[in-house]
Amino acid sequence: MPYIPHTSEEEHLMLDAVGVSGIEELFRDIPDEFRPRSFDLPPGQSEMSVLSRIESLASKNRTDLTSFLGAGFYDHYIPAAGPALLARGEFLTAYTPYQPEASQGTLQAIFEYQTAVTRLLDLPYANASVYDGGTALYEAMMMAVRQTKKRRFVVSEGVNPIYRVMLGTYTRNLNLELVTVSHAQGRTDLEALEGALDGNTAGIIVQNPNFFGTVNDFTTLFATAAKFGVVTIMNVYPVLQAVMKTPGEMGADIAVAEGQSLGLPLSFGGPYLGIMTTSAKLLRQMPGRMVGRTEDIDGRTGYVLTLQAREQHIRREKATSNICSNQSLCALSALAYMAQLGPEGLRRTAEVSMERAHQAADRLTAIPGVCLMSDSPFGNEFAVRLPLSSFTVIDRLLGKGIIPGFPLGRYYAGLDDCLLVACTEKTTREDIGILAERMEGSLS
């Protein structure tokens, strides 16, 4: 955001335009007792002073590290055309697209985004996105509640633990029962998940690849769930869907994802993008916005919001969700990324990321005392067991310019010696070699 101060004359012009005499009058609807006594703000500063302060704070971030950190968020290359498209004023400043006569470009972009993600996840319907992957998973959960009128959920421990914390927080006062099925040395325990299902279960929630990076085929599990009338919900890593068996092929009812890896930078935690897709039978339970394509009376193509089961448009008690915003600019970024790479480019990105991960696994497990946590197939991420605490290893390698991965002990009891290592197409063979050499040195 540029530093552009307003002159007193400009402020008066704006106040005149809205018909008030001063700043105080802007807040006249707020009773005095509810107004803050003070904002406790320091005096204004010059552009040079502000820039110097911000640069000083930013310099505390380590941006020169070689990173093998993933755990749900991944550092993929973003072609320059995507950010250039996002910077165009008609998208960057687009108002919420209620009025189709004024928002055809934004609405078409959302429609194209929906089309792209439905093809990637292989389910027929998508909304215009929600806040992030965890929010999408919660909204999927509530779709299952509305559809089945039941309140019990079976959740794999292989689902991102941050998302499981979010589910617990969001549903704390909703009288839902969440049954967590433990992982088996990093593998998703399919038999235990199947055994946890019963006729009172609203939904089952799994992830592919799971948080430990291992890949599963949930086709049989989902078929069993369908016999109990259970809604099947799958969280996925979207880039790998270009090469893996899709949620649609496995028979999932709902597939959700964090869309950050599709053209959004790792930007200190967001803004990110919640992808939601579903089957036809759950379409009317889908929250948020959805854009449809239609024709006007002259046969011209037009785009409009459709199936608007949101609280602004119907009675609150009938609303499918209080989600009434989408991540339009982030969705556009994901669309630009997918359009530029195309199916072949996306597939190649996934393949190279997986190749690098397997090369890294080979190098690390050649170090005495280091082994894979499980022998299950994995994608671009894998867990290794170390002869030391992973926290100790991370501390030692940070001083050598490397983030070797994510410490699984942060969320899983008894796994303090396990490290989750991720690679993308940006990971070079040299990076892997340096990681292996320095990790071996740090273990001695």
Side-chain angles (χ1 to χ4, degrees), residues 275-330:
I275 294 173
M276 288 198 75
T277 59
T278 191
S279 59
K281 74 177 183 181
L282 290 164
L283 173 60
R284 290 192 174 275
Q285 302 297 344
M286 177 89 85
R289 293 173 175 163
M290 181 181 294
V291 174
R293 183 167 61 191
T294 186
E295 291 182 351
D296 67 10
I297 58 174
D298 297 320
R300 296 174 300 186
T301 298
Y303 299 89
V304 295
L305 292 182
T306 186
L307 295 171
Q308 299 177 72
R310 299 187 295 118
E311 80 275 23
Q312 289 99 329
H313 300 95
I314 62 175
R315 288 178 297 163
R316 181 178 295 273
E317 65 272 21
K318 296 290 186 182
T320 54
S321 169
N322 67 356
I323 283 279
C324 56
S325 296
N326 67 304
Q327 294 285 76
S328 184
L329 199 64
C330 297

Side-chain angles (χ1 to χ4, degrees), residues 20 22 35 42 53 56 82 124 133 158 164 190 200 222 231 259 267 296 318 330:
V20 297
R35 295 208 196 166
R53 174 64 174 154
S56 172
R164 286 189 285 113
L190 297 176
N200 294 319
F222 288 171
V231 174
S267 184
D296 67 10
K318 296 290 186 182
C330 297

Side-chain angles (χ1 to χ4, degrees), residues 115-126:
T115 304
V117 296
T118 55
R119 289 177 177 171
L120 185 62
L121 272 55
D122 200 20
L123 283 170
Y125 298 98

Side-chain angles (χ1 to χ4, degrees), residues 8-226:
S8 297
E9 289 74 15
E10 289 170 330
E11 290 179 0
H12 284 303
L13 282 173
M14 287 188 282
L15 292 170
D16 288 343
V18 297
V20 297
S21 58
I23 296 292
E24 274 298 308
E25 199 175 346
L26 277 177
F27 303 104
R28 64 189 173 196
D29 293 333
I30 303 175
D32 285 342
E33 61 268 32
F34 296 137
R35 295 208 196 166
R37 299 303 114 194
S38 167
F39 289 105
D40 193 24
L41 293 174
Q45 297 187 44
S46 69
E47 178 178 348
M48 186 170 67
S49 298
V50 171
L51 191 60
S52 175
R53 174 64 174 154
I54 295 299
E55 288 176 343
S56 172
L57 291 172
S59 67
K60 296 181 179 179
N61 293 317
R62 293 289 305 275
T63 57
D64 57 341
L65 299 170
T66 300
S67 177
F68 291 84
L69 198 58
F73 305 94
Y74 303 93
D75 184 22
H76 288 287
Y77 180 74
I78 302 172
L85 178 65
L86 258 62
R88 289 181 62 92
E90 60 267 44
F91 290 119
L92 192 61
T93 62
Y95 179 62
T96 184
Y98 288 123
Q99 299 81 16
E101 66 276 17
S103 306
Q104 281 299 293
T106 298
L107 290 166
Q108 182 176 357
I110 292 174
F111 179 83
E112 301 294 351
Y113 157 80
Q114 293 172 180
T115 304
V117 296
T118 55
R119 289 177 177 171
L120 185 62
L121 272 55
D122 200 20
L123 283 170
Y125 298 98
N127 67 11
S129 74
V130 291
Y131 298 135
D132 56 21
T135 307
L137 198 57
Y138 162 73
E139 292 290 348
M141 196 175 179
M142 298 313 297
M143 287 172 66
V145 171
R146 291 190 294 271
Q147 180 73 11
T148 65
K149 313 302 182 191
K150 300 173 184 174
R151 315 192 76 79
R152 180 177 185 269
F153 282 86
V154 174
V155 184
S156 167
E157 200 178 21
V159 172
N160 189 321
I162 299 172
Y163 292 177
R164 286 189 285 113
V165 170
M166 290 177 69
L167 294 182
T169 302
Y170 281 157
T171 62
R172 183 170 299 163
N173 299 312
L174 297 182
N175 191 30
L176 299 182
E177 180 188 5
L178 275 61
V179 178
T180 302
V181 174
S182 300
H183 69 93
Q185 293 300 308
R187 291 183 293 104
T188 301
D189 193 334
L190 297 176
E191 290 184 3
L193 284 167
E194 187 170 327
L197 297 175
D198 61 27
N200 294 319
T201 306
I204 182 169
I205 303 175
V206 296
Q207 179 171 313
N208 198 42
N210 72 9
F211 191 71
F212 304 92
T214 62
V215 176
N216 282 106
D217 184 346
F218 295 112
T219 305
T220 303
L221 176 66
F222 288 171
T224 302

